[in-house]
Amino acid sequence: MKTYRQFIFQDYKFNSGTKTLDLHYSMDDMLHFRETYTFDFDFGTYNEQLLDRAIQSLFFMAGVSYYKTYIPLEIVVRRGDLDADSAAFFSKTYQRGLGEFWYVNQLDPNTPVQFPVTMTHELPHTLHSGKGALVGLGGGKDSLLTIETLRSATAVTTWTLGHKKQLEPLTERIGLPHLQINREWDRKLLEVNNEDALNGHVPISAIFACVGVVAAVLSGKQDIVVSNEQAANEPTLQYRGVDINHQYSKSQEFEIDFQNYLHRNYKDSIRYYSFLRPLSELYIAELFAGSVFSKYKDVFSSCNKAFVHTSERLTWCGKCPKCAFVFLILTPFIEQKELEALWSGKNLLLDPDLEATYEQLLGIAGDKPLECIGEIKESRMAMHMAFEKYPQLIGTYEFEVPPHYDFRQLMADEMPEDVKHIFRRLIV
């Protein structure tokens, strides 16, 4: 593998006329990368200094996709401002967010990532005057539950990053104002990956969070709302004594860190939080089945392979751990034939090819899959409930559900008080 001494944050350029943002990175001024975002919506009135600050956040966060190719020892910043707290935030997010990457490539999970401090004083606050909620839409049950709950209580605008063709039927069904953003990562990544570069999972939800801040500034919104649940806090596996979490950038730890970062920059004029953080995946499934499923059953998908380029609609592969998990947690709450219809009549619980996957989900054999799935205890509770519909599965999977486990119990969250009031009124 080639070695490079420096990963360089070179430059960023925003063109309000074409609505594009170009981010430029390099390795030793020799290997160059460019990532482009297109904000394909009408802009509101925005503060140029505020927008520049938001763009810098995305510039620093999106660099992780290119930094990981060769992991240079030194990070150099040629454009942008980092005080000590900001440098520490990005250093931690890269280091922890690359946990799965360290594991897959058999690298030291304690490999240091050190962003430089480029200014000796703290960055001054820059206040935003936005109102309303900008809710991220990924195509699955979680974001749909958030949208359907919040739409009756506040002004909601949805936004998506890419996959316009597949998500159009869903956004039309939702019927709310919608912002389309497109991301074009540098295809040179494919070239270097085919040669000798390292590859693997990056903290993509942290990148999405920073895209959301730019979108909020351009559209005049205050809140960037995501739909990360309690299960995102559970480590996927342990590697060399270190907890590895596939969902680190969806975790409560990241949410708190990002909130602190935003508060240092914008006080409370820009807010980021998860509306579903207090809930288990199993409780979300129950709520979704009760009030949302019937409206979106033919246009949504929680499958990680949902975005097939040859299809204009979201799909379910019926083979991945995410499909297996979603089928499991919806089983207690949705009629069998309606649920099977999502997978063209296939019953995933009765598929022998998925038995090994269910053993992983239930914590019976091997580590949890490196996917966005629920906690082991809620998978066990869901399977225990599924035995009532499928008694033939009793004996196939042997496990214990933790005593006194209540999947409807509310856990801690990081929502602002005014949003907690909405949550308690509409969810609890």
Side-chain angles (χ1 to χ4, degrees), residues 272-293:
Y272 170 90
Y273 53 86
S274 173
F275 190 67
L276 302 185
R277 182 67 71 191
L279 308 178
S280 71
E281 279 270 35
L282 192 53
Y283 193 14
I284 290 170
E286 182 179 33
L287 294 169
F288 176 78
S291 61
V292 184
F293 174 76

Side-chain angles (χ1 to χ4, degrees), residues 194-254:
N194 288 332
E195 292 172 3
D196 62 350
L198 297 168
N199 196 10
H201 181 74
V202 299
I204 190 68
S205 294
I207 297 175
F208 290 173
C210 292
V211 174
V213 175
V214 177
V217 172
L218 290 173
S219 63
K221 305 302 176 187
Q222 179 184 18
D223 290 359
I224 302 103
V225 186
V226 293
S227 304
N228 303 325
E229 69 296 313
Q230 192 64 211
N233 294 327
E234 182 176 74
T236 309
L237 53 87
Q238 195 171 78
Y239 168 58
R240 297 190 189 180
V242 175
D243 286 337
I244 303 299
N245 187 356
H246 171 79
Q247 301 189 79
Y248 174 76
S249 56
K250 289 185 176 182
S251 71
Q252 207 156 349
E253 182 177 354
F254 170 77

Side-chain angles (χ1 to χ4, degrees), residues 176-190:
L176 290 171
H178 180 74
L179 309 185
Q180 178 66 40
I181 304 167
N182 297 307
R183 174 195 183 207
E184 185 179 343
W185 48 271
D186 198 321
R187 293 304 186 264
K188 199 175 296 176
L189 279 176
L190 296 176

Side-chain angles (χ1 to χ4, degrees), residues 109-155:
N110 294 305
T111 298
V113 179
Q114 190 63 53
F115 272 73
V117 176
T118 65
M119 54 194 306
T120 56
H121 58 280
E122 288 187 6
L123 286 165
H125 292 113
T126 306
L127 300 184
H128 181 44
S129 58
K131 294 181 180 180
L134 192 58
V135 181
L137 175 63
K141 60 178 175 49
D142 297 346
S143 56
L144 289 174
L145 178 61
T146 295
I147 291 163
E148 288 302 308
T149 304
L150 282 177
R151 71 188 301 161
S152 65
T154 189

Side-chain angles (χ1 to χ4, degrees), residues 250-380:
K250 289 185 176 182
S251 71
Q252 207 156 349
E253 182 177 354
F254 170 77
E255 183 177 351
I256 293 170
D257 287 348
F258 192 53
Q259 286 178 339
N260 290 335
Y261 172 81
L262 291 179
H263 191 266
R264 288 194 302 271
N265 281 272
Y266 316 106
K267 292 192 174 180
D268 289 330
S269 67
I270 297 179
R271 309 188 300 188
Y272 170 90
Y273 53 86
S274 173
F275 190 67
L276 302 185
R277 182 67 71 191
L279 308 178
S280 71
E281 279 270 35
L282 192 53
Y283 193 14
I284 290 170
E286 182 179 33
L287 294 169
F288 176 78
S291 61
V292 184
F293 174 76
S294 60
K295 181 176 179 179
Y296 296 106
K297 61 184 178 182
D298 59 330
V299 290
F300 91 104
S301 175
S302 296
C303 174
N304 286 340
K305 300 177 182 178
F307 301 101
V308 178
H309 292 296
T310 56
S311 173
E312 293 189 357
R313 302 182 75 84
L314 297 178
T315 60
W316 298 86
C317 75
K319 299 177 182 178
C320 70
K322 189 66 177 290
C323 278
F325 176 71
V326 172
F327 192 99
L328 172 62
I329 61 172
L330 288 177
T331 289
F333 312 115
I334 294 178
E335 289 298 320
Q336 179 178 338
K337 289 201 177 295
E338 274 202 295
L339 187 55
E340 290 174 352
L342 299 180
W343 286 271
S344 302
K346 181 180 179 182
N347 190 306
L348 274 57
L349 280 177
L350 303 181
D351 183 355
D353 291 337
L354 288 174
E355 283 188 15
T357 298
Y358 280 117
E359 287 180 345
Q360 288 180 294
L361 293 173
L362 295 166
I364 296 172
D367 293 314
K368 279 178 59 177
L370 291 161
E371 300 270 4
C372 295
I373 52 178
E375 295 177 286
I376 288 173
K377 61 186 178 184
E378 59 186 325
S379 291
R380 291 185 175 189

